[in-house]
Amino acid sequence: MLSAKSDVQVDTPEVRVTEWRLAPGSATGHHIHGMDYVIVPVTAGEMTIVAPNGERSKAQLGPGKSYFRKAGVEHDVLNESATEIVFLEVELKP
């Protein structure tokens, strides 16, 4: 599987904003979120979320339809669709 591309756009003592681009067939790789975060989709799309136990679920993204998650989320994010997925991840530093 290809690696997703990330670009840190803002990194201050309060917040880090990263643009993520997942080409078809790419993944972020398994990771644990160390901070609370907000996802701001730039494109519409469907992500596949893989939990540590291997359980898979789908997440529908709509441009500008943000969502919030607490620190500690552990998963891999895959793009199994035919189109690129782009979103901003806004991490809230303690």
Side-chain angles (χ1 to χ4, degrees):
M1 181 144 296
L2 302 169
S3 292
K5 295 184 189 304
S6 64
D7 177 33
V8 176
Q9 297 180 341
V10 176
D11 196 357
T12 70
E14 298 83 18
V15 67
R16 178 172 39 223
V17 178
T18 305
E19 178 188 67
W20 285 93
R21 292 185 166 270
L22 283 76
S26 69
T28 60
H30 179 85
H31 59 280
I32 300 171
H33 287 268
M35 294 178 260
D36 292 352
Y37 65 100
V38 175
I39 297 296
V40 183
V42 175
T43 61
E46 181 180 79
M47 298 188 305
T48 302
I49 310 298
V50 182
N53 65 3
E55 182 178 322
R56 298 164 68 89
S57 61
K58 301 287 185 177
Q60 299 296 322
L61 300 179
K65 303 287 185 184
S66 303
Y67 63 88
F68 170 81
R69 298 287 184 267
K70 296 292 286 176
V73 172
E74 183 176 357
H75 58 204
D76 191 1
V77 178
L78 292 65
N79 181 357
E80 298 179 319
S81 75
T83 59
E84 181 181 54
I85 295 170
V86 181
F87 59 87
L88 299 175
E89 175 185 62
V90 182
E91 296 174 287
L92 308 172
K93 296 182 178 180

